[in-house]
Amino acid sequence: MLSRNQPQVYARRLRAVLIRSLPLLEARGIAVVILAGAVGVMAGILVTAMSQIVQDLHGLLFGVQPGGRLSGMFSLANPLQALIPAIGGILLGLSVIWLRLRKFRTPVDPIEANALYGGRMSLTDTFIIAGQTMISSGFGASVGLEAGYTQVGSGLASRLARVFRLRRNDVRILVGCGAAGAIAAAFDAPLTGAFYGFELVIGIYSVANVAPVMTAAICASLTAEMFGGVPFPLELAGLPALTASQYVPFLLLGLLGGAASIAIMHLVTLIERGFARLSVDASLRPVIGGVIVGLLGLITPQVLSSGHGALHREFAMNYGLTVVASVFVLKLAASAISLGSGFRGGLFFASLFLGALLGKAFAGVMAFVSPATGIDPSVAAVVGMTSLAVGVVGGPLTMTFLALESTRDLTLTGVVLAASIMAAILVRETFGYSFSTWRFHLRGETIRSAHDVGWMRSLTVGSMMRKDIKTIDAATTLATFRTQVPLGSAQRVIAVDAGDHYVGVLIVAELHSDPSDGEVPVRSLAQFQDAVLVPSMNVQSAAETFQRAGAEELAVVEDFTDRIVRGLLTEGHLMRRYAEELDKARRDLSGEG
């Protein structure tokens, strides 16, 4: 039987053999690129497998024919099929109970892992999210598989990087490669996948990252094609040439897409809170949500699952404004209810479909308001699709490349990028979150992107404070203080009460020059009585406390309740340590050292 450490032993041996036989692997950058290629192949295989499993579930449960799509059906074959999402909710609820009994923590996704944990992800989290996502989408809940795809790609990349003992920044890059490969395989779009990795998972675009991320994305896309992956269903032909006068309406559409994305994220939160207020266990909420989604599916199956077939129909057919608006409302409701009730998945593809519907509706309105503008519904659908998705998912370049690679039409690139930037600016300035980071915010996290702030959290007050502090009873008179603490013997002293609780900071030079009566207790001369630090504070929180207090030094207490003094920290030392760690992080990012 293999010991727990046996895989790591084999990995070290393999690495040593490879380095001896291939000296080029001693170059860290080349090794990362080779591992990125392996990650891309794995991501392509797993994404194709997950997609096929969900398609098989749709065929088994809903009678979808081979090559067809659940959301592309015109109606459910049997009204009883409306109960299938509720059955999926039961299975998901059972998994929630099982995880609760096993005391599993909240799974960590690629963005959170790269922001806080140096790219470290759990394979257990990976398999849990992948399984729950396939159940949710496979049983018809209105969620996409992209969250599961990126979790699988990034989770396996993280484990591979740790097996080969890569540096922190290389682990983060490889996690981004896993996500890039997953998206590239899902949409047969290497550039889209690569910029998804850059913008959303790594958090920065740099020349050093191009080779591994692009390698992973291309390898994943080719692997998915080899194993029969279905490309993104967006087929446009014969689009009219864009005129300069049409840019302004499309920029307006970009703003509408950004505003709609903010409203959608608030709606999901509102529904989630509504389910939380119900006097039912969390394991029963997906069942209730599944019943509602199934009823909406009776009206139109376009609201079910991720929506690939529905998006294809939307571009192939020319529906009227009323139908488009109705499907938009129904899909929005189904997606918000699915996520709010606890189904696992994301809004990536739902935002694309909703954005396409928004664009079609915009074109329909413009045909009445300003027919001379000549807004083409298909072009408006592409612009709306990318604009709304930028607001929900983030990444204007990611969505621009998605439009370019899916339509193969370079003429759309400029207007799509312009509208996407408008949406991104609106969301950033008025809301500040994508859907993923908004959910982190609701959980109490402060991260807004995948930028590496984990080192900042590990740089705590407890690790920086001085413990060799001098204290004095706060009831001591000023005259006695001057005798016990001569000028020059110390810069500052902490005043404490009889129970060693913090009272304030005494600046020695100021107390020696203070004109007060010598019988005055030093308590009355203590500064920063209401401003203290605790050992668990990170460097950012501590710096904010210094700024609010206007202090150059603050006492560190055990907790805010008892305020037992444990040390002292100066603002100067805090900023020096911050600058040192920031410089180290920048060197790691650039590949130096």
Side-chain angles (χ1 to χ4, degrees):
M1 185 174 179
L2 289 176
S3 68
R4 187 174 182 179
N5 294 325
Q6 203 72 13
Q8 285 84 354
V9 172
Y10 287 146
R12 288 196 296 271
R13 290 177 181 173
L14 174 62
R15 183 180 182 184
V17 170
L18 288 174
I19 288 176
R20 284 197 300 270
S21 59
L22 297 172
L24 279 176
L25 289 181
E26 292 181 356
R28 181 181 61 86
I30 296 176
V32 172
V33 170
I34 292 173
L35 289 176
V39 166
V41 172
M42 290 190 297
I45 293 172
L46 291 170
V47 166
T48 305
M50 290 175 64
S51 176
Q52 189 59 52
I53 289 171
V54 170
Q55 283 296 99
D56 291 342
L57 282 173
H58 289 168
L60 177 66
L61 300 172
F62 294 95
V64 177
Q65 297 301 310
R69 293 283 187 171
L70 173 58
S71 60
M73 299 172 63
F74 287 93
S75 64
L76 295 178
N78 189 326
L80 291 178
Q81 290 175 338
L83 296 175
I84 292 175
I87 297 172
I90 293 173
L91 295 177
L92 204 62
L94 291 175
S95 73
V96 169
I97 295 172
W98 181 77
L99 293 173
R100 185 187 300 159
L101 292 175
R102 301 291 289 254
K103 297 182 179 179
F104 277 98
R105 58 174 175 76
T106 302
V108 174
D109 80 350
I111 296 175
E112 186 178 6
N114 264 6
L116 301 180
Y117 307 113
R120 295 175 66 88
M121 296 177 67
S122 163
L123 278 183
T124 303
D125 289 357
T126 294
F127 294 136
I128 288 171
I129 290 179
Q132 290 183 334
T133 303
M134 286 190 290
I135 289 173
S136 299
S137 187
F139 279 76
S142 189
V143 293
L145 286 166
E146 288 77 21
Y149 292 158
T150 56
Q151 186 75 26
V152 165
S154 296
L156 289 175
S158 175
R159 175 52 60 92
L160 185 64
R162 288 159 55 194
V163 165
F164 280 86
R165 295 187 173 182
L166 298 186
R167 301 187 325 179
R168 177 188 180 96
N169 194 57
D170 292 335
V171 177
R172 295 181 70 254
I173 290 174
L174 215 58
V175 167
C177 290
I183 295 300
F187 293 94
D188 190 23
L191 288 173
T192 301
F195 276 87
Y196 182 94
F198 290 134
E199 293 185 299
L200 301 174
V201 181
I202 298 175
I204 189 170
Y205 172 88
S206 70
V207 175
N209 298 342
V210 171
V213 175
M214 284 301 306
T215 298
I218 293 171
C219 287
S221 183
L222 293 174
T223 302
E225 287 183 11
M226 185 185 305
F227 284 90
V230 180
F232 183 47
L234 195 58
E235 300 171 3
L236 301 178
L239 295 178
L242 293 173
T243 63
S245 62
Q246 292 176 335
Y247 267 74
V248 173
F250 283 131
L251 292 178
L252 175 60
L253 177 56
L255 291 174
L256 289 175
S261 68
I262 297 172
I264 289 169
M265 289 185 275
H266 277 302
L267 177 63
V268 172
T269 303
L270 185 65
I271 291 179
E272 191 172 39
R273 288 173 177 169
F275 273 100
R277 291 192 184 100
L278 295 177
S279 55
V280 296
D281 189 78
S283 61
L284 295 176
R285 294 171 195 165
V287 183
I288 299 172
V291 170
I292 301 173
V293 171
L295 293 175
L296 294 174
L298 279 177
I299 301 174
T300 173
Q302 290 186 71
V303 306
L304 299 178
S305 195
S306 58
H308 284 73
L311 183 62
H312 180 80
R313 275 181 55 187
E314 198 58 45
F315 279 101
M317 309 288 285
N318 189 21
Y319 293 110
L321 179 59
T322 304
V323 174
V324 170
S326 300
V327 175
F328 180 91
V329 172
L330 292 171
K331 178 62 178 180
L332 175 58
S335 295
I337 291 168
S338 296
L339 292 170
S341 62
F343 280 100
R344 176 73 69 177
L347 279 175
F348 190 113
F349 206 94
S351 65
L352 294 174
F353 181 37
L354 289 170
L357 293 170
L358 179 67
K360 281 284 188 84
F362 178 81
V365 172
M366 288 297 294
F368 287 109
V369 174
S370 179
T373 309
I375 299 296
D376 184 81
S378 294
V379 176
V382 174
V383 174
M385 176 183 77
T386 53
S387 300
L388 196 149
V390 164
V392 172
V393 180
L397 287 176
T398 300
M399 294 306 163
T400 300
F401 280 115
L402 178 60
L404 172 63
E405 291 184 292
S406 56
T407 63
R408 273 75 173 177
D409 192 329
L410 283 170
T411 61
L412 290 177
T413 305
V415 70
V416 166
L417 180 59
S420 297
I421 290 173
M422 295 300 291
I425 291 173
L426 178 66
V427 174
R428 185 181 68 243
E429 296 298 327
T430 62
F431 188 63
Y433 300 92
S434 66
F435 183 64
S436 296
T437 55
W438 172 238
R439 294 179 80 77
F440 296 149
H441 169 73
L442 295 177
R443 280 169 33 197
E445 292 286 358
T446 56
I447 59 175
R448 291 181 180 241
S449 72
H451 286 285
D452 190 4
V453 296
W455 63 269
M456 192 182 299
R457 293 196 173 194
S458 65
L459 192 62
T460 62
V461 168
S463 67
M464 294 184 288
M465 70 181 185
R466 289 178 48 193
K467 297 181 181 179
D468 56 333
I469 54 173
K470 184 176 180 61
T471 61
I472 195 169
D473 191 336
T476 302
T477 63
L478 179 59
T480 304
F481 174 87
R482 289 169 175 169
T483 302
Q484 293 181 356
V485 188
L487 189 64
S489 62
Q491 290 184 328
R492 60 193 68 81
V493 177
I494 305 298
V496 296
D497 62 15
D500 286 335
H501 303 107
Y502 172 78
V503 173
V505 176
L506 303 171
I507 309 300
V508 175
E510 292 185 8
L511 264 67
H512 274 272
S513 61
D514 193 282
S516 301
D517 187 278
E519 298 304 312
V520 171
V522 294
R523 175 191 298 273
S524 62
L525 302 175
Q527 300 183 32
F528 317 123
Q529 297 183 25
D530 297 323
V532 291
L533 306 171
V534 294
S536 61
M537 274 185 173
N538 62 44
V539 63
Q540 184 177 10
S541 300
E544 291 170 354
T545 304
F546 273 111
Q547 185 176 14
R548 286 196 301 268
E552 295 181 0
E553 56 277 311
L554 287 174
V556 182
V557 299
E558 188 168 327
D559 57 58
F560 289 116
T561 304
D562 293 332
R563 307 219 303 179
I564 303 296
V565 178
R566 289 289 177 256
L568 184 82
L569 182 63
T570 65
E571 185 181 27
H573 180 66
L574 171 83
M575 299 312 295
R576 281 195 302 274
R577 291 287 290 115
Y578 172 75
E580 290 169 0
E581 293 296 328
L582 181 60
D583 185 56
K584 179 182 176 183
R586 285 172 175 166
R587 288 200 307 271
D588 287 343
L589 189 63
S590 62
E592 299 174 2

